Amino acid sequence: MGIRLGCIADDFTGATDLANNLVRAGMRVVQLIDVPDDGDERAARQARDADAVVIALKSRTVPAADAVEASLRALAWLRSTGAEQIYFKYCSTFDSTPAGNIGPVTEALMDALGTDFTVATPAFPDNGRTVFKGHLFVGDVLLSDSGMRHHPLTPMTDSNLVAVLGAQTTRTVGLVDHTVVAGGADTIRARIGELREQGVGLAVVDAVSNDDLVRLGEAVRELPLVTAGSGLAIGLPANWGLKSSAAAAQLPPAGGYRAVVSGSVSVATNGQVREFLDSGRPAFSVDPLRIAAGEDVAGEALAFADAHLADGPVLVYSTETPDAVRDVQGRLGAAEAGELVERTLARVAQGLVERGVRQLVVAGGETSGAVVQALGITGLRIGPQIDPGVPWCAATLSDGDTLHITLKSGNFGGPGFFSESFALLEAS
Ligand code: ADP
């Protein structure tokens, strides 16, 4: 069976967010890190076993031409797997500039798919993002009154999405407003028909509740392309007769040794490391100054792991309090310190997996990127949620073995996150 929904996400965490919503709505989902290379059989095999594939790009703030090129490559790959509908996922705060990239990418996908119409809605009511009369609200305030006004790369100073999108595209932009959405899928479809006749190519759609997104999901069933934040995901699986169920998040059984690699220095991770140390479990601290002095810190960490993995989980961490981090950054430079630590932890992760670790928790966004790259992971099957937005995933290693891995951004999770993660995997 081919995949049903092929998704193109403009950044990595956004891709995870979408994947997570799709799993919760009943789809088996694989998230791919960038477009697979030609002949990447591992990715193709993983994708064939899923209802939806989400390709994570880094196209949100790159030049529009590059974002278009990457998105079209992703589209071609997804179509080669038989994807029946394409979902272009952007941020729920519609992060973009008059140069793009939401408009140009949408248009390029429409052209490639040969379609003259699609919808656009960043609404995600569960996260406080709602669209009313075409205006995007963040919590109780308009987008233009929110912190996004001052975003360094994509400052959002206009909440009127019809105008914002209109400035980014050559197509006419229209609106499907709340009264229409409230009328249900048939009413939405009728309105879409009218807009199409008027030459509208892109319609911003209001949604202030999950019910609105479910109605919209049903209404867009026949469209080759939808564009949205991650919210619309809740309304699409039903179009293939899929319902929310624990089976969608089922991963292969977990085995092997357990380890945590933590390069996050955020408050939540500091609490998690503290709790792990307090519980008396084996932990090895990575000191950036010793790495900078040329000592084989990764080798020491792995020797420590050799002695303790059988009584694991083992923690290898560079996590420090903000003061200690500032001190190290003052001596080495922030970028240099970060890179040294990332490289060391990535080597440690590689060594741990070589030693038989098959359940790995990684803390830190940048750290996760480095670890995933070092392990040669190109795809992740999305499993059960440990915490909102943080699922266990299954990756296929180059030798065909399964690695259970979770990638936690710094500030996610409560103090017991590490032990809870392993307990959840054991129970599932
Ligand atoms: P988070 O998700 O918490 O932001 P990241 O992994 O994205 O975590 O970022 C943390 C950054 O800090 C990484 O570049 C990491 O290498 C760096 N880092 C980790 N530990 C230390 C430390 N002890 N001193 C200085 N920099 C560190």
Side-chain angles (χ1 to χ4, degrees):
M1 188 171 44
I3 65 170
R4 276 101 181 232
L5 192 61
C7 309
I8 303 167
D10 67 358
D11 87 338
F12 186 84
T13 47
T16 308
D17 184 20
L18 173 61
N20 210 42
N21 278 356
L22 289 170
V23 169
R24 290 197 300 153
M27 284 185 144
R28 292 166 310 141
V29 180
V30 165
Q31 179 177 342
L32 298 178
I33 299 147
D34 213 338
V35 185
D37 294 331
D38 284 345
D40 182 345
E41 260 311 300
R42 234 189 320 159
R45 217 172 311 117
Q46 258 191 324
R48 271 197 294 276
D49 192 35
D51 300 308
V53 171
V54 183
I55 296 184
L57 300 177
K58 285 185 190 153
S59 55
R60 184 169 296 168
T61 54
V62 301
D66 296 348
V68 164
E69 190 272 332
S71 305
L72 289 177
R73 266 192 305 121
L75 174 68
W77 194 90
L78 291 168
R79 290 176 95 185
S80 76
T81 66
E84 295 167 30
Q85 186 173 47
I86 300 297
Y87 188 134
F88 170 37
K89 149 78 174 75
Y90 37 73
C91 189
S92 66
T93 43
F94 216 70
D95 299 16
S96 52
T97 70
N101 291 337
I102 295 174
V105 168
T106 301
E107 258 188 294
L109 294 174
M110 289 172 76
D111 289 342
L113 286 163
T115 183
D116 66 346
F117 183 86
T118 189
V119 292
T121 186
F124 189 4
D126 282 349
N127 270 7
R129 313 290 196 258
T130 52
V131 181
F132 184 68
K133 304 243 178 243
H135 291 259
L136 175 57
F137 288 80
V138 177
D140 295 332
V141 301
L142 282 165
L143 175 68
S144 52
D145 293 329
S146 76
M148 283 305 295
R149 189 179 179 78
H150 303 295
H151 191 282
L153 300 175
T154 51
M156 301 302 291
T157 54
D158 187 354
S159 312
N160 179 345
L161 298 182
V162 176
V164 170
L165 197 52
Q168 296 179 28
T169 168
T170 61
R171 316 240 170 183
T172 307
V173 181
L175 175 67
V176 177
D177 87 359
H178 185 249
T179 53
V180 173
V181 177
D186 287 340
T187 315
I188 299 170
R189 270 192 289 261
R191 175 73 179 141
I192 286 176
E194 285 167 20
L195 289 171
R196 265 180 136 143
E197 271 175 27
Q198 293 163 17
V200 169
L202 269 159
V204 172
V205 185
D206 281 355
V208 297
S209 66
N210 285 347
D211 287 346
D212 286 341
L213 290 171
V214 168
R215 287 189 274 265
L216 176 61
E218 188 187 340
V220 298
R221 185 183 182 142
E222 305 300 332
L223 295 185
L225 173 70
V226 296
T227 85
S230 62
L232 184 58
I234 66 171
L236 296 181
N239 289 338
W240 286 278
L242 297 168
K243 285 205 257 321
S244 179
S245 90
Q250 186 79 45
L251 296 179
Y257 292 139
R258 297 166 162 179
V260 181
V261 171
S262 176
S264 158
V265 293
S266 60
V267 177
T269 310
N270 264 287
Q272 289 152 4
V273 168
R274 174 63 38 215
E275 156 125 351
F276 192 94
L277 297 176
D278 288 349
S279 70
R281 292 172 183 276
F284 182 92
S285 157
V286 166
D287 176 354
L289 296 177
R290 291 186 55 227
I291 308 173
E295 295 183 45
D296 181 15
V297 178
E300 287 174 33
L302 290 171
F304 178 86
D306 280 331
H308 292 101
L309 275 174
D311 312 312
V314 168
L315 166 67
V316 178
Y317 67 104
S318 67
T319 307
E320 276 293 353
T321 58
D323 282 346
V325 172
R326 256 192 305 275
D327 180 51
V328 167
Q329 289 177 334
R331 293 176 196 223
L332 301 177
E336 171 80 350
E339 205 181 305
L340 282 178
V341 172
E342 281 166 37
R343 227 181 303 136
T344 303
L345 292 180
R347 263 191 57 212
V348 169
Q350 231 172 352
L352 289 171
V353 169
E354 281 160 16
R355 282 162 176 75
V357 167
R358 290 293 178 271
Q359 302 174 41
L360 182 64
V361 174
V362 187
E366 294 300 324
T367 310
S368 293
V371 167
V372 161
Q373 198 178 15
L375 294 177
I377 292 173
T378 54
L380 299 163
R381 173 75 194 277
I382 308 294
Q385 270 201 152
I386 305 160
D387 236 47
V390 194
W392 269 111
C393 305
T396 308
L397 297 167
S398 50
D399 63 3
D401 249 25
T402 297
L403 171 71
H404 287 75
I405 186 168
T406 182
L407 308 169
K408 183 192 85 77
S409 354
N411 262 325
F412 281 55
F417 182 87
F418 297 155
S419 47
E420 283 158 20
S421 299
F422 295 114
L424 175 75
L425 204 50
E426 189 156 356
S428 62

